[in-house]
């Protein structure tokens, strides 16, 4: 058994860090949904969980990359490139008629979303091949559904802007291995009963289900004729399950400061430094 998992017998009570799974029929096709039991061990044992199992969603890592990470990177790429494209289009507009109103970035974004790349290219009369390609790429990025083709859309768009494929793929790998900061997910190399290459525990996706609808094994859901109920498939090791809960707690326990307070701190710090600088100067240093 992998180091990040531990043995669990079918007669054991549920514990924090148990991995649960259920079959979900989608478009006449049965798919699986996984979860991480969040309730504290003592609450479950002493029945202080209000007969409710709280769980965080676990998704295959490839779905996380496609649906979330790649979509976020596409959004960043669009925001970064809209400005330069807008400037090039404005240069064209001024060369044709100096009295025309120039485009703002928000105008270009709205125009793309409503009319598409071809309409913009034809209306302005864009002849430059590279600029046409960039407009088309940004439009495609805006149309990306961020689902099964998210990474492919990102790679195609990035290539248009001379970003290396290897760099994008390396960033995807690093986002799983070393997310950094207060990431809202945890990557695990695998879970029992699945051949997918890695999974992601999404720390913000917390749900609840009645304890009566969660079973300790697949045998129990068959006995109770509950084919779409949750059942336990495994348990994370103590080190990993505690780490995941700790990261979730850190994520939600962060307390930000109001901007006014941060500005007052900045001004006060600057005044202090200026004062000390003045004192040092007066002392002839």
């Amino acid at each position: 058994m992998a180091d990040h998992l531990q043995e669990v017998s079918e007669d054991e009570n549920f514990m924090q860090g148990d991995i649960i799974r259920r079959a979900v029929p989608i478009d006449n096709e049965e798919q699986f949904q996984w979860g991480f039991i969040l309730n504290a061990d003592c609450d479950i044992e002493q029945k202080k969980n209000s007969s409710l199992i709280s769980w965080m969603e676990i998704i295959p890592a490839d779905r996380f990359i496609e649906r979330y990470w790649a979509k976020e990177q596409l959004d960043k790429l669009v925001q970064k490139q809209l400005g330069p494209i807008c400037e090039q289009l404005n240069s064209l507009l001024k060369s044709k008629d100096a009295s025309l109103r120039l485009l703002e970035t928000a105008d270009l974004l709205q125009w793309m979303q409503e009319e598409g790349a071809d309409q913009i290219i034809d209306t302005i009369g864009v002849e430059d091949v590279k600029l046409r390609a960039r407009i088309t790429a940004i439009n495609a990025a805006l149309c990306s559904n961020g689902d099964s083709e998210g990474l492919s859309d990102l790679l195609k768009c990035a290539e248009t802007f001379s970003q290396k494929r290897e760099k994008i793929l390396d960033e995807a790998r690093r986002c799983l291995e070393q997310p950094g900061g207060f990431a809202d997910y945890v990557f695990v190399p695998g879970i029992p009963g699945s051949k997918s290459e890695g999974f992601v525990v999404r720390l913000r996706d917390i749900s609840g289900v009645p304890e009566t609808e969660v079973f300790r094994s697949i045998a129990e859901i068959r006995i109770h004729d509950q084919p779409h109920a949750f059942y336990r498939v495994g348990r994370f090791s103590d080190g990993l399950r505690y780490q995941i809960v700790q990261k979730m707690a850190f994520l939600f326990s962060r307390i930000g400061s109001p901007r006014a307070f941060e500005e007052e701190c900045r001004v006060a710090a600057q005044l202090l430094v200026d004062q000390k600088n003045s004192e040092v100067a007066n002392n002839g240093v």
Side-chain angles (χ1 to χ4, degrees), residues 170-284:
D170 187 58
E171 288 176 354
R173 176 188 59 79
R174 285 191 288 110
C175 92
L176 295 174
E177 289 184 5
Q178 303 168 337
F182 288 94
D184 59 359
Y185 60 91
V186 175
F187 174 66
V188 295
I191 58 179
S194 176
K195 297 179 180 179
S196 295
E197 295 296 332
F199 284 78
V200 168
V201 184
R202 289 178 49 79
L203 306 182
R204 294 185 188 275
D205 286 354
I206 302 173
S207 302
V209 60
E211 194 168 359
T212 54
E213 297 178 17
V214 185
F215 297 88
R216 299 181 185 184
S217 68
I218 191 171
E220 282 196 357
I221 70 168
R222 291 170 178 167
I223 291 171
H224 291 86
D225 192 25
Q226 297 289 329
H228 298 125
F230 271 120
Y231 61 95
R232 181 171 57 197
V233 296
R235 178 178 294 159
F236 287 118
S237 65
D238 287 349
L240 181 56
R241 66 193 186 106
Y242 297 149
Q243 180 189 94
I244 290 173
V245 174
Q246 183 185 58
K247 288 187 175 183
M248 186 274 291
F250 282 162
L251 181 67
F252 287 100
S253 64
R254 291 178 300 162
I255 301 175
S257 300
R259 290 186 178 179
F261 174 77
E262 292 179 349
E263 178 62 18
E264 288 176 8
C265 288
R266 186 191 67 78
V267 172
Q270 186 62 53
L271 288 173
L272 175 63
V273 171
D274 291 344
Q275 179 183 344
K276 300 305 294 183
N277 182 50
S278 178
E279 291 175 1
V280 170
N282 290 335
N283 291 330

Side-chain angles (χ1 to χ4, degrees), residues 8-157:
V8 54
S9 62
E10 293 185 0
D11 60 345
E12 284 187 54
N13 199 2
F14 295 114
M15 292 181 67
Q16 187 178 78
D18 278 359
I19 306 164
I20 54 178
R21 180 173 79 170
R22 66 180 172 188
V24 181
I26 300 176
D27 297 331
N28 298 321
E29 181 180 344
E30 191 171 78
Q31 300 184 20
F32 289 112
Q33 182 177 40
W34 292 267
F36 173 105
I37 290 184
L38 191 55
N39 305 78
D41 298 344
C42 57
D43 285 348
I44 296 175
E45 195 63 36
Q46 298 174 22
K47 300 187 182 303
K48 294 182 178 180
N49 59 328
S50 302
S51 299
L52 191 72
I53 294 294
S54 300
W55 58 282
M56 294 185 293
E57 186 172 25
I58 304 173
I59 64 174
D62 61 341
R63 189 193 305 171
F64 171 79
I65 290 294
E66 296 282 3
R67 186 174 297 178
Y68 300 100
W69 182 82
K71 184 65 172 67
E72 181 181 342
Q73 301 309 306
L74 269 174
D75 291 343
K76 290 179 179 178
L77 184 58
V78 168
Q79 293 304 317
K80 181 179 180 180
Q81 298 298 336
L82 272 177
I85 289 175
C86 200
E87 289 178 6
Q88 288 181 275
L89 292 177
N90 282 333
S91 295
L92 273 175
L93 288 173
K94 285 190 287 186
S95 67
K96 293 176 181 296
D97 187 344
S99 66
L100 290 174
R101 185 178 73 85
L102 300 183
L103 287 168
E104 299 286 344
T105 303
D107 299 328
L108 179 58
L109 180 61
Q110 183 178 357
W111 195 3
M112 277 193 178
Q113 291 172 330
E114 293 178 355
E115 303 293 341
D118 292 341
Q119 179 69 27
I120 295 172
I121 291 170
D122 293 341
T123 301
I124 297 180
V126 180
E127 297 180 356
D128 183 89
V129 175
K130 287 186 177 181
L131 181 54
R132 291 167 67 100
R134 289 173 178 174
I135 294 171
T136 302
I138 291 298
N139 187 75
L142 291 171
C143 295
S144 174
N145 59 17
D147 198 348
S148 60
E149 301 296 329
L151 183 58
S152 176
D153 291 341
L154 174 61
L155 291 172
K156 289 176 184 176
C157 188

